[in-house]
Amino acid sequence: HHPDAARYVDAEIGARGWTWALELDRPLDAAVSTTALHYLDRDTLLATYRQLATLMRPGGVLVNGDHLPQGETGPAGIAAHVGRCRADRQRVFAHEDWGSWWAAVGEDPELADLLAERRRREALLGTGRPAELPLCAHLELLRQAGFDTAGPVWQYGDSCVVVAVR
Ligand SMILES: C[S@@+](CC[C@H](N)C(=O)[O-])C[C@H]1O[C@@H](n2cnc3c(N)ncnc32)[C@H](O)[C@@H]1O
């Protein structure tokens, strides 16, 4: 409905010079991410938070909805239980799961080129994934990166929305 409202760029967050691809012409008001930043290791995450803080105007916000475990200082077992109960209530596991969703994508000819490109990139990445950093580590890195305040504004189990204000 609003083709001019968004511009898409293909960039690897954390790779050298990735913010150039954004071609920004003014400071950012907000940066928003969902379930992507947990792929980054600690050093890359800190560098990425620093870059975003630099690109953002004072008062700008970073909003990250992600899988952020409690870590050793939080009641991890209870948080996981609350998350499972909510998923049960919402019948999350009665819906299409990850495997069947991708199987359906594989059968759609219109998506064949994109799927091939996805597989090519996955092969380049390899199988190693950094350990997921807990919520407190993200908050600490956000403060180190120059955000004034950072904290969770919504949380169920390990699912969390963190807001940080520049
Ligand atoms: C779980 S999906 C979430 C997709 C979407 N944000 C959403 O909420 O539906 C995670 C996405 O992050 C992408 N991703 C992981 N690491 C990335 C990086 N360093 N730069 C850009 N995208 C990345 C993956 O390719 C994948 O598409």
Side-chain angles (χ1 to χ4, degrees), residues 11-14 33-36 38-40 98:
E12 183 187 337
I13 298 166
S33 174
T34 49
T35 60
H38 67 275
Y39 285 87
L40 306 181
W98 183 257

Side-chain angles (χ1 to χ4, degrees), residues 8-143:
Y8 292 89
V9 300
D10 187 349
E12 183 187 337
I13 298 166
R16 194 178 163 75
W18 75 275
T19 58
W20 299 334
L22 305 176
E23 294 182 16
L24 299 174
D25 57 5
R26 61 194 163 93
L28 288 176
D29 297 314
V32 180
S33 174
T34 49
T35 60
L37 299 182
H38 67 275
Y39 285 87
L40 306 181
D41 61 45
R42 182 184 287 268
D43 291 347
T44 311
L45 194 59
L46 176 58
T48 300
Y49 284 155
R50 281 201 171 118
Q51 286 170 314
L52 291 173
T54 305
L55 293 171
M56 214 169 260
R57 68 167 171 79
V61 291
L62 185 149
V63 182
N64 179 28
D66 216 336
H67 305 298
L68 305 177
Q70 294 269 335
E72 282 163 21
T73 54
I78 297 176
H81 179 73
V82 169
R84 275 195 302 274
C85 291
R86 179 171 187 266
D88 279 345
R89 278 197 306 281
Q90 297 195 324
R91 297 175 44 75
V92 166
F93 304 113
H95 303 310
E96 191 174 38
D97 65 17
W98 183 257
S100 46
W101 193 86
W102 282 108
V105 168
E107 284 164 17
D108 187 335
E110 205 177 320
L111 299 175
D113 289 350
L114 287 171
L115 191 59
E117 177 62 11
R118 181 177 192 272
R119 292 201 173 118
R120 189 187 71 77
R121 293 187 188 194
E122 268 180 348
L124 294 177
L125 283 174
T127 51
R129 283 266 299 272
E132 277 181 12
L133 292 174
L135 171 61
C136 57
H138 278 264
L139 300 182
E140 177 57 33
L141 293 178
L142 284 163
R143 290 190 196 106

